[in-house]
Amino acid sequence: MIRNHIDVISMGCSKNLIDSERLLRRLEAKGYTVAHNPENVKGEYVVVNTCGFIADAKEESIDLLLNLAEHKDSGRIGKIVAMGCLTQRYRDVLEDEIPEIDIIYGKFDWKDFLDSLEDRSGAAAPSEWERTLTTPPHSCYLKISEGCNRFCAFCAIPIITGRHVSRPMEEILEETRRLASEGVKEFNVIAQDLSSYGTDLYGEHRLAQLIDGMADIEGVEWIRLHYAYPADFPMDILEVMARRPNVCKYLDIALQHSSDKMLKAMRRHISAADTEKLLDEIRRRVPGIKIRTTLMVGFPGEDEDDFDNLMEFVRRQRFDRMGAFAYSEEEDTYAAKHYSDDVPDEVKKRRLDSLMALQENIAAELSQEMVGKRLRLLVDEREGEYAVCRSEWDSPEVDLTFYVRCDARPGEFIEATVTRAEEFDLFADIDANTDN
């Protein structure tokens, strides 16, 4: 164990990561050495920012805490601190089941941990949204709101995070200016529900105005939008995406299903016909846009006709990027209270495997269509003689990666022509120019 050293481990999504980055900045300001997601824990404190979204994520967080309890018993680490979504929801249970956890905070009161620590530096406290980036220095996530008012039948997020709360627009723009002045070029805008931004503060959608304002800031090269909701979608954002060259032609919008029966049971507040109409309008108004979505199989009551409908929907839409997961019952949600989890696990797995196999074929075909295209790419890192890059259509960690043999360094933009497409990777040549 190393005195005055604190390890911070982030579980789950990028929204959690931002809270961890804010914590890291405050710990550094207090004079502590810190490590994020270290290979070997060794701190006087180890802080785990837990995830509580679905069963697998909860299990992963619990397994980590149990593993840390063993390290604590051996003297390898000092105190264990837990925070985040899992602790927000199950604080009392964790106190009883894992007594080795020394301190437990929820998702919103974690700053109390800082008050309990000795100030070893005397430095001024950081502002509310200052953080130590754990992403590459040219790229960051930017959270514009917290919580959700949608109350989909399967989702525990509103139970954990509460109602939707937008950050003031000027606060977000000021954070963007500061990060851009520090060299951040790519801003991945995130929220539980991007579509509702501004409705609580201003009485109307303000996503378009926010993104337009961000696009004006010097140094902002890419803005990418994540986690829009299809019902009551802010259509005016499409004009901004089409007009502003530094707003990526990319939209992450979770659709979940295509069967009217399932959409109604899921309480998604939109019909299948309106979903397809929205997708058509997005593609019409933002030519060349790539759409990422998330779909669910095995929701209570889903039969083979519903699943066939979903498969046909994916064949027809040919999503550029897609993820999927099988339904797992989350206690206290509408589905847990009102439906029986009646789709057998083996059926869920078969449907999920079939859906992902279909999407893999579609994605492979779309990648092959990119061969010969000349693209603007952002370099993320080096691997030997290759620059590892992404296009404006590729979000960090979840989308395609491009390999270019060149001397470009992380944070630089290059232009290269795609020469070969493999399953998840594409190769490009900086000298070739065969755009078709």
Side-chain angles (χ1 to χ4, degrees), residues 66 69 72 80 93-103:
L66 291 171
K72 179 184 170 183
I80 301 171
V93 174
L94 289 169
E95 286 176 348
D96 291 339
E97 297 295 325
I98 313 179
E100 293 87 354
I101 301 175
D102 295 279
I103 315 169

Side-chain angles (χ1 to χ4, degrees), residues 396-409:
E397 300 180 354
V398 296
D399 292 326
L400 297 177
T401 300
F402 294 76
Y403 290 86
V404 184
R405 188 183 283 112
C406 67
D407 295 328
R409 310 307 302 174

Side-chain angles (χ1 to χ4, degrees), residues 216-367:
D216 281 335
I217 295 172
E218 183 178 356
V220 175
E221 296 277 356
W222 278 354
I223 303 168
R224 190 178 292 104
L225 304 181
H226 296 78
Y227 320 127
Y229 196 92
D232 195 27
F233 181 83
M235 300 300 291
D236 53 350
I237 188 61
L238 300 178
E239 185 274 333
V240 176
M241 296 179 77
R243 174 170 53 86
R244 302 302 299 250
N246 57 349
V247 179
C248 297
K249 307 300 185 286
Y250 177 104
L251 182 65
D252 191 330
I253 180 168
L255 299 175
Q256 305 302 352
H257 217 285
S258 61
S259 156
D260 275 324
K261 186 184 87 178
M262 288 292 96
L263 290 170
K264 183 177 180 180
M266 290 177 175
R267 306 175 83 198
R268 293 290 290 172
H269 319 294
I270 193 169
S271 68
D274 285 343
T275 298
E276 301 226 29
K277 187 183 301 183
L278 174 61
L279 294 171
D280 289 345
E281 189 68 4
I282 291 170
R283 289 173 172 135
R284 184 185 72 81
R285 293 176 60 175
V286 189
I289 192 170
K290 308 293 186 187
I291 296 176
R292 164 173 276 281
T293 195
T294 304
L295 301 173
M296 180 190 295
V297 300
F299 188 79
E302 184 188 59
D303 58 26
E304 290 300 328
D305 287 342
D306 297 316
F307 180 66
D308 289 344
N309 180 298
L310 183 61
M311 291 284 282
E312 184 55 37
F313 174 68
V314 171
R315 289 189 189 97
R316 187 167 59 251
Q317 289 294 332
R318 291 177 64 81
F319 292 107
D320 303 279
R321 317 282 186 259
M322 193 196 87
F325 61 100
Y327 171 77
S328 64
E329 185 175 275
E330 292 297 314
E331 61 183 319
D332 297 326
T333 59
Y334 184 91
K337 292 177 179 178
H338 295 88
Y339 304 142
S340 171
D341 188 2
D342 58 359
V343 180
D345 288 344
E346 61 270 19
V347 175
K348 291 178 184 178
K349 183 179 185 307
R350 171 177 58 78
R351 291 176 182 172
L352 182 61
D353 290 346
S354 297
L355 183 64
M356 290 310 300
L358 170 61
Q359 177 59 25
E360 286 172 11
N361 289 334
I362 293 170
E365 292 170 0
L366 294 175
S367 290

Side-chain angles (χ1 to χ4, degrees), residues 359-391:
Q359 177 59 25
E360 286 172 11
N361 289 334
I362 293 170
E365 292 170 0
L366 294 175
S367 290
Q368 287 297 329
E369 292 175 8
M370 295 182 69
V371 174
K373 302 289 185 183
R374 193 158 185 86
L375 305 176
R376 185 178 188 234
L377 302 173
L378 174 61
V379 180
D380 275 332
E381 59 181 325
R382 301 279 320 172
E383 285 189 11
E385 60 184 343
Y386 287 97
V388 183
C389 315
R390 287 177 293 109
S391 76

Side-chain angles (χ1 to χ4, degrees), residues 116-263:
S116 72
L117 297 174
E118 179 185 350
D119 189 340
R120 301 178 182 279
S121 75
S127 62
E128 176 70 12
W129 288 91
E130 279 188 69
R131 49 198 168 109
T132 297
L133 294 182
T134 58
T135 51
H138 55 270
S139 177
C140 76
Y141 295 101
L142 186 72
K143 182 159 59 174
I144 66 171
S145 67
E146 190 74 80
C148 183
N149 294 348
R150 304 290 186 166
F151 294 98
C152 298
F154 53 85
C155 186
I157 285 176
I159 300 171
I160 298 169
T161 63
R163 307 285 289 189
H164 176 264
V165 178
S166 301
R167 292 178 59 193
M169 189 180 306
E170 187 50 48
E171 178 183 273
I172 299 169
L173 294 175
E174 180 56 35
E175 182 183 8
T176 304
R177 292 186 196 100
R178 178 177 54 79
L179 289 168
S181 72
E182 295 171 357
V184 177
K185 301 176 181 180
E186 175 187 50
F187 292 79
N188 294 289
V189 178
I190 58 173
Q192 274 92 10
D193 174 12
L194 212 65
S195 297
S196 293
Y197 176 75
T199 54
D200 56 319
L201 281 182
Y202 309 109
E204 62 181 8
H205 294 292
R206 287 288 182 91
L207 182 64
Q209 292 95 319
L210 172 66
I211 300 305
D212 213 18
M214 287 179 60
D216 281 335
I217 295 172
E218 183 178 356
V220 175
E221 296 277 356
W222 278 354
I223 303 168
R224 190 178 292 104
L225 304 181
H226 296 78
Y227 320 127
Y229 196 92
D232 195 27
F233 181 83
M235 300 300 291
D236 53 350
I237 188 61
L238 300 178
E239 185 274 333
V240 176
M241 296 179 77
R243 174 170 53 86
R244 302 302 299 250
N246 57 349
V247 179
C248 297
K249 307 300 185 286
Y250 177 104
L251 182 65
D252 191 330
I253 180 168
L255 299 175
Q256 305 302 352
H257 217 285
S258 61
S259 156
D260 275 324
K261 186 184 87 178
M262 288 292 96
L263 290 170

